[in-house]
Amino acid sequence: SASSSKPAGDDDSKAPLPKGVVLDKDGKPCRTCTSVASWRALTKQADLKSTNPSSTSSSTSNTSKMTTSTPTLAAAATPSPSEIPSNCPPDVEELGRSTWTLLHSMAATYPEKANMDHQANMSGFLKFFAKLYPCWVCADDFQAWMAHPSGQNQPKLESRKEFGWWMCEAHNEVNRKLGKKEFDCRLWEERWRTGWKD
Ligand code: FAD
């Protein structure tokens, strides 16, 4: 998969970046692919570097997507959980939460039985969404998951129930990848459409 093809620490850079920092295809750190905690560790590292230029070496030759910290940088590079102010650009988590809200809400408002036109529109949307999602490593993995050769992960678009379940499975795929707890897909409608039963 895209984000696991080059695991953390598997690059040959001289100055590894903090754990969790993902680089864009141009080699610069990708904000929408990186958590705010890792981003802060990165800016802290840059601050340290500017006050003590010999503390790290250049990272411009780094061509890997995933990076990691060295023991000497650990103090500066350890990400701490934090919230982003609401008027700041999103990190990978904020972007993800907002996007899942959109995607599950699209499933929640999908027709109980969708006609061919509606199915085609949603199919097109998902295809382009998977190409254009602003976290490129997320997008690459999502596309690869959808295009699994077995065909088993292709969007199920005939009905709201099928589509909502499919979306839940897609989300669980990412949850598994990130080591998060899987969501019980029998509850997707309560979470995203009807509200919880009392
Ligand atoms: P989220 O995972 O954002 O979930 C939001 C809410 O949805 C949860 O609180 C829960 O109530 C509900 N929920 C959880 N699971 C399910 C489910 N299976 N079905 C229905 N509802 C559910 N982040 C990365 O770091 N790397 C990636 O490669 C990556 N890929 C992504 C790909 C896509 C297509 C998207 C949309 C996001 C991706 N993300 C990725 C972001 C990641 O999925 C999370 O959104 C982010 O880590 C924040 O997680 P969270 O724990 O706040 O809850």
Side-chain angles (χ1 to χ4, degrees):
S1 72
S3 62
S4 58
S5 58
K6 287 187 182 173
D10 194 28
D11 60 64
D12 56 4
S13 77
K14 290 181 218 142
L17 296 169
K19 191 171 192 302
V21 173
V22 176
L23 298 183
D24 231 326
K25 292 183 179 173
D26 63 4
K28 292 184 183 146
C30 170
R31 166 90 189 212
T32 48
C33 311
T34 301
S35 74
V36 70
S38 297
W39 195 263
R40 281 189 182 143
L42 178 71
T43 51
K44 217 167 172 182
Q45 180 180 302
D47 287 351
L48 275 181
K49 207 164 138 188
S50 64
T51 52
N52 179 13
S54 63
S55 66
T56 61
S57 49
S58 165
S59 64
T60 49
S61 64
N62 191 336
T63 53
S64 173
K65 293 171 189 173
M66 304 295 289
T67 62
T68 189
S69 57
T70 59
T72 50
L73 286 171
T78 304
S80 56
S82 42
E83 295 289 316
I84 338 177
S86 60
N87 59 353
C88 288
D91 69 342
V92 69
E93 295 181 4
E94 183 60 36
L95 177 69
R97 274 189 290 275
S98 312
T99 304
W100 287 123
T101 298
L102 171 69
L103 292 174
H104 290 298
S105 301
M106 289 173 86
T109 54
Y110 198 72
E112 268 186 271
K113 290 269 170 250
N115 63 29
M116 293 314 285
D117 196 38
H118 213 103
Q119 292 186 45
N121 285 340
M122 189 57 83
S123 173
F125 169 81
L126 291 169
K127 208 168 96 193
F128 288 118
F129 164 82
K131 284 191 185 176
L132 298 171
Y133 188 64
C135 158
W136 71 277
V137 285
C138 309
D140 276 7
D141 281 355
F142 195 61
Q143 277 181 76
W145 178 79
M146 282 211 294
H148 191 278
S150 67
Q152 68 186 12
N153 299 334
Q154 270 173 20
K156 312 266 187 314
L157 297 170
E158 283 180 25
S159 66
R160 181 195 299 151
K161 280 213 175 332
E162 277 188 344
F163 182 43
W165 192 279
W166 178 86
M167 191 63 81
C168 180
E169 287 187 330
H171 194 160
N172 271 341
E173 175 67 15
V174 181
N175 288 343
R176 276 192 294 275
K177 185 175 84 173
L178 300 179
K180 295 185 193 223
K181 208 166 154 257
E182 284 184 42
F183 187 89
D184 181 349
C185 288
R186 288 171 302 184
L187 302 177
W188 85 265
E189 233 172 323
E190 281 184 55
R191 169 66 178 88
W192 294 105
R193 198 176 83 83
T194 60
W196 299 105
K197 288 180 188 142
D198 290 329

